[in-house]
Amino acid sequence: MRLDTFWRSSAARSALLQSAFIAAIGALVVTAVLVAQSNLRAQGLTSGFQFLWKATSWDMNFAVMPATPESPYWWYIVVGLCNTLFMGLLGLTGATVVGLAVGMARTARNPSVRLLGTIYVETFRNLPLILQLYFWYALSTNLPNPRQAIEVGGTMLTARGIYVPGLNIAYSAAVLAVAILVVGGIAIVWLSNTRKVRRMDAKQRRSRLGLTACAFLAAALGAVWWGYSAGTNIFTMPQLQGLNIRGGIRIQPEVYSLAFAISAYGGAYVGEIVRGGFKAVRPGQVEAARALGLSSWQVFWRVQMPLAFRAMLPILTNQYVWLIKATTLGIAVGFTDFFMVIASSITHSGQTLEFIFILMAGFLLVNFSLAAVLNHINRAIAIKGDQIGTGS
Amino acid sequence: MTSVSSSPPTVRSRSLSRILPDYFGSAGSTFLTLLGCGILATIAWFVLDWAVLRATFDATATREECLARGGACWSVIAARWRIILFGIYPFEEQWRSALACTVVVTIIVVSCIPWFWRFWRLASVWVLGTAAFYLLMRGGVFGLRLVSEQNWGGLALTLLMFATTSVLGMPLAIVLALMRRSKMPVIAKTTGIFIDTVRSLPLLAILFTFAVVVPFMLPDFLVGEKLYRVIAASTLFFAAYEAEIIRGGLQGIAKGQEEAAQALGLSYWQSMSRVILPQAFRLALPATINQFVITFMETSLIVVVGFIELLAAGNAAYQTGEWRFAYVEVYAFVAAIYFVFVFGLSRYGAYLEGRLSVGRKQDH
């Protein structure tokens, strides 16, 4: 009788169900950990994170920061994460540029331009990314060897990579200079949005922003000067010497084929988002702008573009997060990204559970920070009212 | 009166006069038309010249004959198509693999016909089809030779991944979506964390975890074949994404529907299965088709954890021996197969979207 009333109470039932659910998940996790630990013991390995300070004893074939087999695991993980971010930045930039071009082509009034855009999107969107990556990689490794290199305006295309002319400065100085330029760019964008600068008249604003830009440019040049060793030629051009190419900056096939594949594939998707963004701009907005006497360029740049951008940004955020995750495909052609560092570390060190934890934490961190930044921008530029047709 | 009796302009000239300004309305658009047509003609001519005019179609042609002609060397496809389609499946048993592929394609086509969109009809088609596929591929009964999972490959493996991921992933996605919307906070929160974690990880990381790491964390009797673990990984990934799509569909349904079902005295499961879910599915259908398209392309990722599916079989076909130069032809052939499936699915999705939106307009 009392059991009967217990089952009839939905609160009691749900409490029981939830405890059973938690117990089942707990049991699963505990079993996994126990089995893994006994397996670790059988292999003579200890659990815990002390191994992070051991040397890795294997080499990275691509690293944006110096890494040697003597470097500890934690440094490899940091470098791997930076490699992923570097490739993500290349891929996102490429995909955005391609996507803008394709999206504009698909919304163009000229039918032959529209057809070109459609062919691009249907081709690149309907083939698996990894197939495209393999294709570009096969293409780049089937280029002639260095002695028969194809030369295009100082750049040499070979099976061992693309050699581009560059500046002959120390690596750390180059990184510093790029960092200064990035910080400068962010500072100028931030400065131009502050209330004080917004209130200034155009001339004053231009001189203030120009001065800031010049300061950062000078700092970057200073960094370049600091990294330049006296007596050497500041420009380095790739040149054939014997069997190999000396000078210039070598871009490995793994790097540019992956960047190219992500840009081309992502570009097709971004192109569709751009098209959707322009379609979301209410025709009345364009007509109103024309009625005010704006030229067609002004209509596009001052009215259509900002409204379309606001409509696109939320979907673009998802696409960018997806593209960052797509850099893991680099493992198929041997690009050392975060995921490949984790995968190789597991096979070399056997610290399975710890590395899986780091893998998840790393991707959660990257995804959430990217989403947070883009959502912040989205909130900052969002406009009240119903100028774009996404609300309902 | 005279204006009425004057003959209207012919359809042809009217449409021409409307279209022509788009092409040649101004100097700018004339330039773009010429540029666009120029690029299109160049691409078309290049493809035609390479793939047809200077190509070698002779199945017995050697590498040198191909290189001398300078165009596509389709001889490599003639020589290697069995490897690309069937991988390392035993040569004399490959008719079984071909038949199994036909079975999967049939059940996909059948699922696209609206008459089958009843739970039992769809479920029986998929369960019978998958069972037939499995029997044909694995054998070991009815006098068929046993072919273990390690030897499966090519198109059959790609289709198997797609079919099993969909058939197992859909029910799991429904369960996950309902759990996430559950009124019990612990279940809703835990499911939410699970779905968000899976969605923020790359599929490759999940495939790798299941292929390489999970055996390490499971008791021996639970480990099983690598193929099944990879299918489980792909299913979980699909379910996490599809659950969010279904949740979106569920959110699109007016609260009154659920209240009406309750007022009629239906239980939770009855109102879900008879009233809420069918409507949610209809809302979620375009996004679901899109998810199927993405899943079909993502089956190609299992090449990274060591499976010889369609793409890996293509790699194997050109990377051995004398055909190393013919990678473009092999990738073009593999790409054509993927393209047929993916383009077909996405066109079907677009058709469905149009059809459903027409239906909704009639409702109101």
Side-chain angles (χ1 to χ4, degrees), chain A residues 139-150 157-161:
Chain A
L139 193 72
S140 57
T141 49
N142 274 284
L143 287 169
N145 61 26
R147 275 200 293 178
Q148 282 104 37
I150 306 167
L157 307 174
T158 75
R160 304 185 34 151

Side-chain angles (χ1 to χ4, degrees), chain B residues 29-171:
Chain B
S29 62
T30 309
F31 171 74
L32 281 179
T33 302
L34 292 179
L35 185 75
C37 290
I39 295 174
L40 279 172
T42 315
I43 296 173
W45 170 249
F46 182 80
V47 170
L48 184 74
D49 181 51
W50 177 79
V52 181
L53 297 182
R54 286 194 296 140
T56 315
F57 292 96
D58 182 5
T60 55
T62 60
R63 170 199 154 92
E64 279 67 31
E65 286 163 15
C66 274
L67 288 177
R69 293 202 53 144
C73 182
W74 299 116
S75 318
V76 63
I77 306 299
R80 296 300 175 105
W81 66 274
R82 290 184 76 139
I83 291 185
I84 300 175
L85 289 186
F86 307 120
I88 49 170
Y89 204 80
F91 192 81
E92 62 280 7
E93 304 287 328
Q94 281 173 358
W95 61 271
R96 280 160 53 184
S97 190
L99 204 57
C101 290
T102 321
V103 167
V104 179
V105 174
T106 312
I107 57 178
I108 293 173
V109 170
V110 162
S111 323
C112 289
I113 303 169
W115 187 81
F116 281 95
W117 295 350
R118 297 285 177 279
F119 177 78
W120 287 111
R121 289 177 196 163
L122 257 193
S124 48
V125 164
W126 278 79
V127 169
L128 287 177
T130 318
F133 177 92
Y134 192 77
L135 276 181
L136 274 169
M137 285 300 277
R138 195 158 195 279
V141 284
F142 306 132
L144 293 173
R145 215 178 95 198
L146 183 82
V147 181
S148 77
E149 287 83 350
Q150 285 101 352
N151 291 329
W152 297 6
L155 183 60
L157 192 54
T158 294
L159 291 174
L160 169 75
M161 282 296 296
F162 175 65
T164 37
T165 301
S166 326
V167 73
L168 299 175
M170 275 315 273

Side-chain angles (χ1 to χ4, degrees), chain B residues 215 218-224:
Chain B
L218 281 183
D220 285 339
F221 65 94
L222 272 177
V223 171

Side-chain angles (χ1 to χ4, degrees), chain A residues 3-319:
Chain A
L3 199 67
D4 200 45
T5 39
F6 177 78
W7 281 120
R8 284 218 188 117
S9 143
S10 73
R13 250 188 338 205
S14 96
L16 195 73
L17 202 62
Q18 295 188 59
S19 352
F21 183 69
I22 287 293
I25 291 177
L28 204 71
V29 173
V30 168
T31 316
V33 170
L34 285 181
V35 173
Q37 273 178 348
S38 88
N39 278 339
L40 279 177
R41 262 198 303 280
Q43 291 176 17
L45 294 159
T46 50
S47 49
F49 283 94
Q50 296 88 344
F51 67 91
L52 283 176
W53 280 267
K54 278 190 214 151
T56 52
S57 77
W58 46 274
D59 211 1
M60 273 187 180
N61 66 356
F62 175 83
V64 290
M65 287 189 285
T68 60
E70 286 80 44
S71 313
Y73 274 106
W74 69 265
W75 178 247
Y76 261 44
I77 292 167
V78 171
V79 176
L81 207 52
C82 289
N83 282 357
T84 291
L85 292 178
F86 170 75
M87 182 50 72
L89 196 67
L90 280 186
L92 293 191
T93 315
T96 310
V97 171
V98 173
L100 272 177
V102 171
M104 310 269 261
R106 290 210 70 184
T107 46
R109 208 182 302 157
N110 192 307
S112 66
V113 176
R114 274 209 307 270
L115 182 62
L116 266 181
T118 309
I119 290 176
Y120 181 90
V121 169
E122 295 295 354
T123 314
F124 284 89
R125 206 176 50 164
N126 288 331
L127 294 175
L129 176 55
I130 190 163
L131 175 87
Q132 300 184 29
L133 173 61
Y134 273 129
F135 176 76
W136 297 122
Y137 189 63
L139 193 72
S140 57
T141 49
N142 274 284
L143 287 169
N145 61 26
R147 275 200 293 178
Q148 282 104 37
I150 306 167
E151 202 175 333
V152 191
T155 303
M156 292 178 118
L157 307 174
T158 75
R160 304 185 34 151
I162 295 179
Y163 293 78
V164 293
L167 288 175
N168 197 7
I169 58 168
Y171 186 77
S172 50
V175 172
L176 188 66
V178 170
I180 289 173
L181 288 180
V182 170
V183 171
I186 294 170
I188 287 172
V189 170
W190 174 77
L191 207 64
S192 63
N193 277 319
T194 54
R195 205 167 282 170
K196 198 176 159 194
V197 174
R198 271 188 171 177
R199 276 208 207 112
M200 297 171 178
D201 59 67
K203 199 176 159 194
Q204 214 176 356
R205 188 162 53 206
R206 213 175 298 144
S207 74
R208 178 68 64 89
L209 291 179
L211 215 62
T212 323
C214 285
F216 276 105
L217 218 57
L221 278 176
V224 169
W225 185 252
W226 170 68
Y228 166 67
S229 47
T232 52
N233 198 348
I234 183 105
F235 289 107
T236 159
M237 299 294 284
Q239 264 159 359
L240 189 64
Q241 272 180 13
L243 290 175
N244 210 342
I245 291 174
R246 304 247 178 271
I249 296 169
R250 174 178 165 232
I251 308 170
Q252 290 151 307
E254 296 83 47
V255 179
Y256 71 81
S257 51
L258 182 59
F260 202 74
I262 292 179
S263 306
Y265 183 77
Y269 280 90
V270 174
E272 286 300 271
I273 296 172
V274 170
R275 182 167 78 115
F278 277 104
K279 269 173 79 178
V281 178
R282 294 267 160 89
Q285 296 283 323
V286 180
E287 285 158 15
R290 284 213 197 99
L292 285 174
L294 299 181
S295 71
S296 61
W297 175 250
Q298 281 173 323
V299 171
F300 173 75
W301 197 243
R302 295 279 168 92
V303 179
Q304 276 183 296
M305 191 72 181
L307 287 174
F309 184 67
R310 286 177 165 96
M312 282 179 241
L313 200 63
I315 324 167
L316 217 48
T317 306
N318 285 337
Q319 194 61 40

Side-chain angles (χ1 to χ4, degrees), chain A residues 17-18 21-22 32 39 110-111 122 125-128 130-131 134 139 142 325 328-329 339 352-353 364 367, chain B residues 23 29 33 179 184 186 199-200 202 204-205 213 216-217 241 297 300-301 311 327 331 335 339 342-343 347:
Chain A
L17 202 62
Q18 295 188 59
F21 183 69
I22 287 293
N39 278 339
N110 192 307
E122 295 295 354
R125 206 176 50 164
N126 288 331
L127 294 175
I130 190 163
L131 175 87
Y134 273 129
L139 193 72
N142 274 284
K325 288 190 283 177
T328 50
L329 287 193
F339 176 58
T352 315
L353 284 184
L364 287 176
N367 287 348
Chain B
Y23 284 100
S29 62
T33 302
M179 277 166 78
M184 298 179 229
V186 174
R199 278 162 54 90
S200 66
L204 210 49
V213 182
F216 196 77
M217 300 191 282
Y241 276 81
M297 289 202 275
S300 56
L301 289 185
L311 180 57
Y327 61 96
Y331 283 130
F339 192 85
V342 172
F343 189 75
R347 283 293 100 171

